[in-house]
PDB file of all heavy atoms in Angstrom:
ATOM      1  N   ILE A   1     -81.761-110.669  43.598  1.00 94.00           N
ATOM      2  CA  ILE A   1     -83.213-110.591  43.369  1.00 94.00           C
ATOM      3  C   ILE A   1     -83.464-109.550  42.266  1.00 94.00           C
ATOM      4  O   ILE A   1     -83.287-108.349  42.507  1.00 94.00           O
ATOM      5  CB  ILE A   1     -83.974-110.152  44.645  1.00 94.00           C
ATOM      6  CG1 ILE A   1     -83.684-111.087  45.819  1.00 94.00           C
ATOM      7  CG2 ILE A   1     -85.472-110.059  44.361  1.00 94.00           C
ATOM      8  CD1 ILE A   1     -84.344-112.433  45.749  1.00 94.00           C
ATOM      9  N   PRO A   2     -83.882-109.957  41.060  1.00 94.00           N
ATOM     10  CA  PRO A   2     -84.153-108.981  39.991  1.00 94.00           C
ATOM     11  C   PRO A   2     -85.549-108.375  40.140  1.00 94.00           C
ATOM     12  O   PRO A   2     -86.391-108.473  39.245  1.00 94.00           O
ATOM     13  CB  PRO A   2     -84.032-109.828  38.724  1.00 94.00           C
ATOM     14  CG  PRO A   2     -84.450-111.199  39.145  1.00 94.00           C
ATOM     15  CD  PRO A   2     -84.046-111.347  40.594  1.00 94.00           C
ATOM     16  N   TRP A   3     -85.792-107.730  41.279  1.00 96.00           N
ATOM     17  CA  TRP A   3     -87.151-107.287  41.620  1.00 96.00           C
ATOM     18  C   TRP A   3     -87.697-106.236  40.655  1.00 96.00           C
ATOM     19  O   TRP A   3     -88.911-106.138  40.464  1.00 96.00           O
ATOM     20  CB  TRP A   3     -87.176-106.755  43.064  1.00 96.00           C
ATOM     21  CG  TRP A   3     -86.355-105.527  43.281  1.00 96.00           C
ATOM     22  CD1 TRP A   3     -85.027-105.479  43.624  1.00 96.00           C
ATOM     23  CD2 TRP A   3     -86.788-104.172  43.148  1.00 96.00           C
ATOM     24  NE1 TRP A   3     -84.607-104.180  43.712  1.00 96.00           N
ATOM     25  CE2 TRP A   3     -85.667-103.348  43.434  1.00 96.00           C
ATOM     26  CE3 TRP A   3     -88.006-103.564  42.833  1.00 96.00           C
ATOM     27  CZ2 TRP A   3     -85.725-101.970  43.401  1.00 96.00           C
ATOM     28  CZ3 TRP A   3     -88.071-102.182  42.784  1.00 96.00           C
ATOM     29  CH2 TRP A   3     -86.946-101.390  43.071  1.00 96.00           C
ATOM     30  N   ARG A   4     -86.822-105.447  40.044  1.00 96.00           N
ATOM     31  CA  ARG A   4     -87.318-104.416  39.119  1.00 96.00           C
ATOM     32  C   ARG A   4     -88.013-105.035  37.914  1.00 96.00           C
ATOM     33  O   ARG A   4     -89.075-104.573  37.490  1.00 96.00           O
ATOM     34  CB  ARG A   4     -86.150-103.527  38.655  1.00 96.00           C
ATOM     35  CG  ARG A   4     -85.645-102.563  39.701  1.00 96.00           C
ATOM     36  CD  ARG A   4     -84.478-101.741  39.169  1.00 96.00           C
ATOM     37  NE  ARG A   4     -84.009-100.801  40.171  1.00 96.00           N
ATOM     38  CZ  ARG A   4     -83.188-101.136  41.176  1.00 96.00           C
ATOM     39  NH1 ARG A   4     -82.765-102.392  41.285  1.00 96.00           N
ATOM     40  NH2 ARG A   4     -82.814-100.239  42.067  1.00 96.00           N
ATOM     41  N   ALA A   5     -87.401-106.078  37.362  1.00 95.00           N
ATOM     42  CA  ALA A   5     -87.994-106.731  36.193  1.00 95.00           C
ATOM     43  C   ALA A   5     -89.366-107.304  36.531  1.00 95.00           C
ATOM     44  O   ALA A   5     -90.325-107.168  35.759  1.00 95.00           O
ATOM     45  CB  ALA A   5     -87.067-107.831  35.680  1.00 95.00           C
ATOM     46  N   ASP A   6     -89.473-107.929  37.694  1.00 96.00           N
ATOM     47  CA  ASP A   6     -90.742-108.565  38.064  1.00 96.00           C
ATOM     48  C   ASP A   6     -91.803-107.527  38.414  1.00 96.00           C
ATOM     49  O   ASP A   6     -92.982-107.705  38.095  1.00 96.00           O
ATOM     50  CB  ASP A   6     -90.505-109.522  39.233  1.00 96.00           C
ATOM     51  CG  ASP A   6     -89.601-110.658  38.824  1.00 96.00           C
ATOM     52  OD1 ASP A   6     -90.111-111.644  38.277  1.00 96.00           O
ATOM     53  OD2 ASP A   6     -88.379-110.548  39.010  1.00 96.00           O
ATOM     54  N   THR A   7     -91.392-106.446  39.072  1.00 97.00           N
ATOM     55  CA  THR A   7     -92.335-105.356  39.357  1.00 97.00           C
ATOM     56  C   THR A   7     -92.854-104.771  38.052  1.00 97.00           C
ATOM     57  O   THR A   7     -94.051-104.490  37.902  1.00 97.00           O
ATOM     58  CB  THR A   7     -91.650-104.256  40.201  1.00 97.00           C
ATOM     59  OG1 THR A   7     -91.056-104.843  41.357  1.00 97.00           O
ATOM     60  CG2 THR A   7     -92.655-103.203  40.642  1.00 97.00           C
ATOM     61  N   ALA A   8     -91.936-104.608  37.091  1.00 96.00           N
ATOM     62  CA  ALA A   8     -92.341-104.082  35.778  1.00 96.00           C
ATOM     63  C   ALA A   8     -93.348-105.006  35.106  1.00 96.00           C
ATOM     64  O   ALA A   8     -94.311-104.547  34.479  1.00 96.00           O
ATOM     65  CB  ALA A   8     -91.104-103.907  34.897  1.00 96.00           C
ATOM     66  N   GLU A   9     -93.134-106.324  35.231  1.00 96.00           N
ATOM     67  CA  GLU A   9     -94.060-107.282  34.617  1.00 96.00           C
ATOM     68  C   GLU A   9     -95.460-107.148  35.219  1.00 96.00           C
ATOM     69  O   GLU A   9     -96.472-107.182  34.508  1.00 96.00           O
ATOM     70  CB  GLU A   9     -93.535-108.707  34.789  1.00 96.00           C
ATOM     71  CG  GLU A   9     -94.320-109.729  34.010  1.00 96.00           C
ATOM     72  CD  GLU A   9     -93.620-111.071  33.905  1.00 96.00           C
ATOM     73  OE1 GLU A   9     -92.457-111.182  34.322  1.00 96.00           O
ATOM     74  OE2 GLU A   9     -94.257-112.011  33.401  1.00 96.00           O
ATOM     75  N   VAL A  10     -95.518-106.980  36.555  1.00 97.00           N
ATOM     76  CA  VAL A  10     -96.821-106.791  37.212  1.00 97.00           C
ATOM     77  C   VAL A  10     -97.476-105.507  36.716  1.00 97.00           C
ATOM     78  O   VAL A  10     -98.668-105.481  36.369  1.00 97.00           O
ATOM     79  CB  VAL A  10     -96.668-106.742  38.750  1.00 97.00           C
ATOM     80  CG1 VAL A  10     -98.011-106.462  39.406  1.00 97.00           C
ATOM     81  CG2 VAL A  10     -96.105-108.048  39.279  1.00 97.00           C
ATOM     82  N   LEU A  11     -96.705-104.414  36.653  1.00 96.00           N
ATOM     83  CA  LEU A  11     -97.253-103.122  36.219  1.00 96.00           C
ATOM     84  C   LEU A  11     -97.774-103.194  34.783  1.00 96.00           C
ATOM     85  O   LEU A  11     -98.814-102.607  34.451  1.00 96.00           O
ATOM     86  CB  LEU A  11     -96.184-102.030  36.350  1.00 96.00           C
ATOM     87  CG  LEU A  11     -95.792-101.659  37.791  1.00 96.00           C
ATOM     88  CD1 LEU A  11     -94.572-100.757  37.802  1.00 96.00           C
ATOM     89  CD2 LEU A  11     -96.954-100.997  38.528  1.00 96.00           C
ATOM     90  N   LEU A  12     -97.063-103.915  33.927  1.00 95.00           N
ATOM     91  CA  LEU A  12     -97.528-104.092  32.550  1.00 95.00           C
ATOM     92  C   LEU A  12     -98.877-104.800  32.521  1.00 95.00           C
ATOM     93  O   LEU A  12     -99.787-104.401  31.793  1.00 95.00           O
ATOM     94  CB  LEU A  12     -96.508-104.926  31.757  1.00 95.00           C
ATOM     95  CG  LEU A  12     -95.366-104.183  31.083  1.00 95.00           C
ATOM     96  CD1 LEU A  12     -94.388-105.168  30.458  1.00 95.00           C
ATOM     97  CD2 LEU A  12     -95.909-103.238  30.011  1.00 95.00           C
ATOM     98  N   ARG A  13     -98.986-105.858  33.345  1.00 95.00           N
ATOM     99  CA  ARG A  13    -100.247-106.610  33.405  1.00 95.00           C
ATOM    100  C   ARG A  13    -101.379-105.747  33.976  1.00 95.00           C
ATOM    101  O   ARG A  13    -102.547-105.976  33.702  1.00 95.00           O
ATOM    102  CB  ARG A  13    -100.068-107.867  34.275  1.00 95.00           C
ATOM    103  CG  ARG A  13     -99.111-108.904  33.712  1.00 95.00           C
ATOM    104  CD  ARG A  13     -99.820-109.958  32.880  1.00 95.00           C
ATOM    105  NE  ARG A  13    -100.712-110.764  33.710  1.00 95.00           N
ATOM    106  CZ  ARG A  13    -100.346-111.842  34.398  1.00 95.00           C
ATOM    107  NH1 ARG A  13     -99.067-112.240  34.373  1.00 95.00           N
ATOM    108  NH2 ARG A  13    -101.219-112.530  35.107  1.00 95.00           N
ATOM    109  N   MET A  14    -101.015-104.746  34.781  1.00 95.00           N
ATOM    110  CA  MET A  14    -102.022-103.852  35.374  1.00 95.00           C
ATOM    111  C   MET A  14    -102.328-102.664  34.470  1.00 95.00           C
ATOM    112  O   MET A  14    -103.055-101.747  34.849  1.00 95.00           O
ATOM    113  CB  MET A  14    -101.534-103.351  36.749  1.00 95.00           C
ATOM    114  CG  MET A  14    -101.385-104.449  37.782  1.00 95.00           C
ATOM    115  SD  MET A  14    -100.602-103.847  39.312  1.00 95.00           S
ATOM    116  CE  MET A  14    -102.032-103.559  40.349  1.00 95.00           C
ATOM    117  N   GLY A  15    -101.710-102.655  33.274  1.00 93.00           N
ATOM    118  CA  GLY A  15    -101.970-101.574  32.328  1.00 93.00           C
ATOM    119  C   GLY A  15    -101.250-100.288  32.647  1.00 93.00           C
ATOM    120  O   GLY A  15    -101.736 -99.192  32.343  1.00 93.00           O
ATOM    121  N   ARG A  16    -100.037-100.392  33.241  1.00 94.00           N
ATOM    122  CA  ARG A  16     -99.262 -99.196  33.597  1.00 94.00           C
ATOM    123  C   ARG A  16     -97.879 -99.259  32.925  1.00 94.00           C
ATOM    124  O   ARG A  16     -96.856 -99.456  33.580  1.00 94.00           O
ATOM    125  CB  ARG A  16     -99.131 -99.100  35.125  1.00 94.00           C
ATOM    126  CG  ARG A  16    -100.493 -98.928  35.819  1.00 94.00           C
ATOM    127  CD  ARG A  16    -100.389 -99.178  37.313  1.00 94.00           C
ATOM    128  NE  ARG A  16     -99.476 -98.255  37.974  1.00 94.00           N
ATOM    129  CZ  ARG A  16     -99.087 -98.386  39.246  1.00 94.00           C
ATOM    130  NH1 ARG A  16     -99.569 -99.396  39.988  1.00 94.00           N
ATOM    131  NH2 ARG A  16     -98.257 -97.525  39.792  1.00 94.00           N
ATOM    132  N   PRO A  17     -97.829 -99.120  31.596  1.00 92.00           N
ATOM    133  CA  PRO A  17     -96.564 -99.291  30.870  1.00 92.00           C
ATOM    134  C   PRO A  17     -95.512 -98.229  31.188  1.00 92.00           C
ATOM    135  O   PRO A  17     -94.310 -98.502  31.112  1.00 92.00           O
ATOM    136  CB  PRO A  17     -96.979 -99.230  29.398  1.00 92.00           C
ATOM    137  CG  PRO A  17     -98.271 -98.479  29.393  1.00 92.00           C
ATOM    138  CD  PRO A  17     -98.944 -98.807  30.689  1.00 92.00           C
ATOM    139  N   GLY A  18     -95.941 -97.008  31.550  1.00 93.00           N
ATOM    140  CA  GLY A  18     -94.982 -95.930  31.837  1.00 93.00           C
ATOM    141  C   GLY A  18     -94.042 -96.264  32.984  1.00 93.00           C
ATOM    142  O   GLY A  18     -92.811 -96.309  32.805  1.00 93.00           O
ATOM    143  N   PRO A  19     -94.597 -96.507  34.206  1.00 95.00           N
ATOM    144  CA  PRO A  19     -93.724 -96.884  35.330  1.00 95.00           C
ATOM    145  C   PRO A  19     -92.971 -98.187  35.058  1.00 95.00           C
ATOM    146  O   PRO A  19     -91.829 -98.346  35.505  1.00 95.00           O
ATOM    147  CB  PRO A  19     -94.698 -97.065  36.496  1.00 95.00           C
ATOM    148  CG  PRO A  19     -95.973 -96.405  36.096  1.00 95.00           C
ATOM    149  CD  PRO A  19     -96.002 -96.373  34.606  1.00 95.00           C
ATOM    150  N   ALA A  20     -93.591 -99.103  34.302  1.00 95.00           N
ATOM    151  CA  ALA A  20     -92.925-100.371  33.988  1.00 95.00           C
ATOM    152  C   ALA A  20     -91.677-100.113  33.156  1.00 95.00           C
ATOM    153  O   ALA A  20     -90.603-100.670  33.424  1.00 95.00           O
ATOM    154  CB  ALA A  20     -93.881-101.293  33.227  1.00 95.00           C
ATOM    155  N   ARG A  21     -91.793 -99.245  32.155  1.00 95.00           N
ATOM    156  CA  ARG A  21     -90.649 -98.944  31.270  1.00 95.00           C
ATOM    157  C   ARG A  21     -89.487 -98.331  32.055  1.00 95.00           C
ATOM    158  O   ARG A  21     -88.312 -98.647  31.821  1.00 95.00           O
ATOM    159  CB  ARG A  21     -91.120 -98.003  30.154  1.00 95.00           C
ATOM    160  CG  ARG A  21     -90.033 -97.585  29.171  1.00 95.00           C
ATOM    161  CD  ARG A  21     -89.434 -98.794  28.447  1.00 95.00           C
ATOM    162  NE  ARG A  21     -88.372 -98.393  27.561  1.00 95.00           N
ATOM    163  CZ  ARG A  21     -88.528 -98.242  26.241  1.00 95.00           C
ATOM    164  NH1 ARG A  21     -89.712 -98.463  25.670  1.00 95.00           N
ATOM    165  NH2 ARG A  21     -87.511 -97.889  25.496  1.00 95.00           N
ATOM    166  N   LYS A  22     -89.815 -97.481  33.013  1.00 95.00           N
ATOM    167  CA  LYS A  22     -88.773 -96.846  33.835  1.00 95.00           C
ATOM    168  C   LYS A  22     -87.977 -97.903  34.616  1.00 95.00           C
ATOM    169  O   LYS A  22     -86.749 -97.867  34.682  1.00 95.00           O
ATOM    170  CB  LYS A  22     -89.431 -95.853  34.799  1.00 95.00           C
ATOM    171  CG  LYS A  22     -88.434 -95.053  35.610  1.00 95.00           C
ATOM    172  CD  LYS A  22     -89.122 -94.089  36.557  1.00 95.00           C
ATOM    173  CE  LYS A  22     -88.053 -93.400  37.406  1.00 95.00           C
ATOM    174  NZ  LYS A  22     -88.488 -93.033  38.711  1.00 95.00           N
ATOM    175  N   LEU A  23     -88.710 -98.857  35.210  1.00 95.00           N
ATOM    176  CA  LEU A  23     -88.044 -99.928  35.981  1.00 95.00           C
ATOM    177  C   LEU A  23     -87.209-100.827  35.074  1.00 95.00           C
ATOM    178  O   LEU A  23     -86.124-101.270  35.453  1.00 95.00           O
ATOM    179  CB  LEU A  23     -89.096-100.763  36.717  1.00 95.00           C
ATOM    180  CG  LEU A  23     -89.708-100.119  37.959  1.00 95.00           C
ATOM    181  CD1 LEU A  23     -90.947-100.891  38.399  1.00 95.00           C
ATOM    182  CD2 LEU A  23     -88.687-100.070  39.095  1.00 95.00           C
ATOM    183  N   ILE A  24     -87.706-101.091  33.859  1.00 95.00           N
ATOM    184  CA  ILE A  24     -86.954-101.936  32.918  1.00 95.00           C
ATOM    185  C   ILE A  24     -85.649-101.252  32.530  1.00 95.00           C
ATOM    186  O   ILE A  24     -84.581-101.891  32.500  1.00 95.00           O
ATOM    187  CB  ILE A  24     -87.809-102.238  31.662  1.00 95.00           C
ATOM    188  CG1 ILE A  24     -89.026-103.089  32.036  1.00 95.00           C
ATOM    189  CG2 ILE A  24     -86.974-102.964  30.612  1.00 95.00           C
ATOM    190  CD1 ILE A  24     -90.124-103.093  30.996  1.00 95.00           C
ATOM    191  N   ASP A  25     -85.716 -99.966  32.254  1.00 94.00           N
ATOM    192  CA  ASP A  25     -84.492 -99.215  31.903  1.00 94.00           C
ATOM    193  C   ASP A  25     -83.493 -99.254  33.058  1.00 94.00           C
ATOM    194  O   ASP A  25     -82.281 -99.419  32.848  1.00 94.00           O
ATOM    195  CB  ASP A  25     -84.838 -97.763  31.556  1.00 94.00           C
ATOM    196  CG  ASP A  25     -85.588 -97.650  30.229  1.00 94.00           C
ATOM    197  OD1 ASP A  25     -85.520 -98.611  29.435  1.00 94.00           O
ATOM    198  OD2 ASP A  25     -86.242 -96.611  29.994  1.00 94.00           O
ATOM    199  N   GLU A  26     -83.997 -99.103  34.296  1.00 94.00           N
ATOM    200  CA  GLU A  26     -83.116 -99.177  35.475  1.00 94.00           C
ATOM    201  C   GLU A  26     -82.488-100.558  35.583  1.00 94.00           C
ATOM    202  O   GLU A  26     -81.294-100.693  35.883  1.00 94.00           O
ATOM    203  CB  GLU A  26     -83.916 -98.879  36.750  1.00 94.00           C
ATOM    204  CG  GLU A  26     -84.236 -97.416  36.973  1.00 94.00           C
ATOM    205  CD  GLU A  26     -85.086 -97.207  38.229  1.00 94.00           C
ATOM    206  OE1 GLU A  26     -85.138 -98.120  39.073  1.00 94.00           O
ATOM    207  OE2 GLU A  26     -85.702 -96.127  38.347  1.00 94.00           O
ATOM    208  N   GLN A  27     -83.296-101.607  35.327  1.00 93.00           N
ATOM    209  CA  GLN A  27     -82.782-102.974  35.442  1.00 93.00           C
ATOM    210  C   GLN A  27     -81.685-103.221  34.409  1.00 93.00           C
ATOM    211  O   GLN A  27     -80.637-103.790  34.714  1.00 93.00           O
ATOM    212  CB  GLN A  27     -83.918-103.981  35.245  1.00 93.00           C
ATOM    213  CG  GLN A  27     -83.528-105.427  35.543  1.00 93.00           C
ATOM    214  CD  GLN A  27     -83.405-105.710  37.017  1.00 93.00           C
ATOM    215  OE1 GLN A  27     -84.332-106.139  37.647  1.00 93.00           O
ATOM    216  NE2 GLN A  27     -82.230-105.465  37.573  1.00 93.00           N
ATOM    217  N   LEU A  28     -81.920-102.770  33.169  1.00 92.00           N
ATOM    218  CA  LEU A  28     -80.915-102.946  32.116  1.00 92.00           C
ATOM    219  C   LEU A  28     -79.628-102.191  32.442  1.00 92.00           C
ATOM    220  O   LEU A  28     -78.528-102.687  32.193  1.00 92.00           O
ATOM    221  CB  LEU A  28     -81.480-102.468  30.778  1.00 92.00           C
ATOM    222  CG  LEU A  28     -82.478-103.419  30.108  1.00 92.00           C
ATOM    223  CD1 LEU A  28     -83.211-102.722  28.980  1.00 92.00           C
ATOM    224  CD2 LEU A  28     -81.760-104.666  29.596  1.00 92.00           C
ATOM    225  N   ALA A  29     -79.764-100.997  33.016  1.00 91.00           N
ATOM    226  CA  ALA A  29     -78.585-100.205  33.377  1.00 91.00           C
ATOM    227  C   ALA A  29     -77.772-100.883  34.469  1.00 91.00           C
ATOM    228  O   ALA A  29     -76.548-100.741  34.527  1.00 91.00           O
ATOM    229  CB  ALA A  29     -79.014 -98.809  33.833  1.00 91.00           C
ATOM    230  N   ARG A  30     -78.452-101.643  35.313  1.00 89.00           N
ATOM    231  CA  ARG A  30     -77.776-102.270  36.456  1.00 89.00           C
ATOM    232  C   ARG A  30     -77.153-103.619  36.122  1.00 89.00           C
ATOM    233  O   ARG A  30     -76.174-104.012  36.750  1.00 89.00           O
ATOM    234  CB  ARG A  30     -78.758-102.471  37.613  1.00 89.00           C
ATOM    235  CG  ARG A  30     -79.017-101.204  38.399  1.00 89.00           C
ATOM    236  CD  ARG A  30     -80.065-101.417  39.461  1.00 89.00           C
ATOM    237  NE  ARG A  30     -80.120-100.272  40.354  1.00 89.00           N
ATOM    238  CZ  ARG A  30     -79.405-100.145  41.465  1.00 89.00           C
ATOM    239  NH1 ARG A  30     -78.577-101.095  41.830  1.00 89.00           N
ATOM    240  NH2 ARG A  30     -79.509 -99.075  42.207  1.00 89.00           N
TER     241      ARG A  30
END
């Protein structure tokens, strides 16, 4: 389940790019 990527997508749509970027970096590292 790539939940980090999808959570980041929701956060981006909600106008929260900071927390979204953190999750994307974690997803890429994993």
Side-chain angles (χ1 to χ4, degrees):
I1 303 286
W3 65 271
R4 286 179 179 81
D6 295 275
T7 307
E9 189 166 353
V10 177
L11 291 170
L12 273 175
R13 294 267 294 274
M14 295 173 98
R16 297 166 61 189
R21 179 61 182 260
K22 185 180 176 211
L23 284 167
I24 295 163
D25 290 341
E26 284 178 17
Q27 188 75 93
L28 284 167
R30 281 176 170 270

